[in-house]
Amino acid sequence: MVAVLVLLLLCLGGAIGGLTLALGTDKLRAALTGAAGGGEPAVTEGKDQGAAAPEAGKDAETARPANEMAVTPFREIIVNINATTATGRTTSRFMKLNIALVFDDQVEGAERIEERRLFLRDSFQDYLRQLTERDLQGTLGLITIKQELLRRARVITESDAPHEILIADLIVQ
């Protein structure tokens, strides 16, 4: 019974830590308390998210809001992962993943995201191929994948522009 309680506390701590890393302390506190200012940033899609700032004679209404984030989707990624059957035999399964990268296009280095898109995809695939079916189980598995892909995106772009990885589909067959 004590072991179950310890395990539940560890899971809860991991979930809170993952949320804190994903949202940041201010947004997490605002979400938990219902305080104003914890709203989601506006999102734009497509290749036009990297538009240049408005010129000095234009209306302020045409300028993009400061908290608006850009989203760049990636093509579907399909990799083999290892799994273990009930009898203990190692087998291979397919994992299909559709992801998008949310980033602040006004942060220094954001322009490198599109330039290094192929390197990002390659790094994501390298990581995903190392996973096992057990690594994908539960919310903690999903949070871990998102954190690792985000870490890789920041390293490859040499920028803090990437803010989040969105997972549209994750299918293991």
Side-chain angles (χ1 to χ4, degrees):
M1 185 66 178
V2 173
V4 172
L5 288 175
V6 170
L7 183 61
L8 286 174
L9 286 174
L10 286 173
C11 289
L12 179 63
I16 291 172
L19 285 172
T20 303
L21 285 173
L23 298 175
T25 55
D26 294 335
K27 286 184 182 179
L28 180 62
R29 188 177 309 119
L32 292 175
T33 61
E40 293 293 319
V43 176
T44 60
E45 292 189 29
K47 294 213 178 231
D48 294 331
Q49 74 267 13
E55 294 176 16
K58 295 191 176 183
D59 286 334
E61 293 177 15
T62 61
R64 290 180 49 167
N67 65 344
E68 188 171 318
M69 297 285 175
V71 176
T72 184
F74 284 83
R75 286 183 320 158
E76 176 178 274
I77 297 173
I78 299 174
V79 295
N80 287 330
I81 61 170
N82 290 324
T84 305
T85 64
T87 60
R89 188 175 61 105
T90 301
T91 184
S92 183
R93 295 184 140 201
F94 288 106
M95 179 178 69
K96 179 176 113 173
L97 187 70
N98 282 319
I99 60 173
L101 175 64
V102 178
F103 65 98
D104 186 350
D105 62 352
Q106 297 178 9
V107 171
E108 182 180 344
E111 68 280 354
R112 289 190 290 264
I113 290 173
E114 285 300 322
E115 294 171 5
R116 298 181 180 178
R117 190 177 178 90
L118 290 174
F119 296 102
L120 287 167
R121 183 176 166 83
D122 181 62
S123 177
F124 294 168
Q125 285 181 335
D126 285 346
Y127 167 70
L128 294 169
R129 283 189 183 109
Q130 298 173 22
L131 296 177
T132 64
E133 188 177 37
R134 177 173 246 173
D135 295 330
L136 303 172
Q137 292 179 344
T139 305
L140 187 58
L142 191 61
I143 290 171
T144 303
I145 290 170
K146 289 174 125 184
Q147 288 175 345
E148 180 61 26
L149 294 179
L150 181 61
R151 185 190 69 78
R152 288 170 180 263
R154 288 180 175 162
V155 168
I156 290 171
T157 61
E158 299 172 352
S159 168
D160 287 332
H163 278 269
E164 186 174 0
I165 297 289
L166 302 177
I167 297 180
D169 296 314
L170 191 152
I171 299 170
V172 177
Q173 183 180 13

